[in-house]
Amino acid sequence: MAESDWDTVTVLRKKGPTAAQAKSKQAILAAQRRGEDVETSKKWAAGQNKQHSITKNTAKLDRETEELHHDRVPLEVGKVIQQGRQSKGLTQKDLATKINEKPQVIADYESGRAIPNNQVLGKIERAIALAGSVRPLLGRR
């Protein structure tokens, strides 16, 4: 039994190239010179932060040309919201807290900068009890 331990043979080999070395330009050229088959593929936007690339249509929409633009809340709606809020004695922050939105959302609606969202408009209507007075001003879209 003791003799069998001495019969064990250990073979030491030189390690092959690491993944980074195998992918290097030098390693690829050396393999091509040796006549080996080398498969290379370029990954799209590899190593760049382009997971959220802007398409042409998005860029056009952002520039708000005549053909493509976001609809905004009419100023009349903003005035109605502001008057209703003030008649209840609420600040923009109080109203925003009441409907679980940010104060900036209320400011945008009142100034006419907001993009209409029926869910938010419904919350505002219920909060300031203007049932049916804000949406007709928007016109059905």
Side-chain angles (χ1 to χ4, degrees), residues 1-136:
M1 194 79 169
E3 292 179 19
S4 64
D5 291 341
W6 291 99
D7 293 336
T8 306
V9 178
T10 304
V11 177
L12 299 175
R13 293 188 194 159
K14 187 175 181 183
K15 289 184 180 178
T18 63
Q21 292 170 341
K23 292 178 186 175
S24 72
K25 187 82 171 164
Q26 291 175 335
I28 293 170
L29 290 174
Q32 286 174 339
R33 279 193 297 266
R34 289 191 301 263
E36 297 175 8
D37 290 334
V38 177
E39 182 180 331
T40 58
S41 61
K42 173 104 171 90
K43 291 183 181 178
W44 184 81
Q48 297 176 8
N49 191 13
K50 288 194 176 181
Q51 60 266 44
H52 303 292
S53 64
I54 297 176
T55 62
K56 289 181 183 179
N57 290 341
T58 308
K60 279 184 186 178
L61 196 57
D62 286 343
R63 285 194 298 270
E64 295 197 357
T65 61
E66 290 180 26
E67 308 132 15
L68 300 170
H69 68 281
H70 298 290
D71 292 328
R72 302 281 184 211
V73 175
L75 204 52
E76 298 87 40
V77 173
K79 296 287 183 199
V80 170
I81 292 171
Q82 188 175 20
Q83 289 168 357
R85 175 180 58 79
Q86 289 173 342
S87 70
K88 288 271 196 172
L90 298 172
T91 64
Q92 287 182 343
K93 185 176 181 181
D94 293 338
L95 179 58
T97 304
K98 197 170 185 177
I99 66 169
N100 293 327
E101 293 288 341
K102 294 180 180 178
Q104 186 61 45
V105 171
I106 303 300
D108 288 345
Y109 271 90
E110 288 184 1
S111 66
R113 291 188 309 255
I115 298 170
N117 180 338
N118 283 334
Q119 202 170 19
V120 174
L121 286 171
K123 288 192 223 176
I124 292 171
E125 284 175 357
R126 286 189 298 276
I128 58 179
L130 292 174
S133 62
V134 173
R135 288 190 190 161

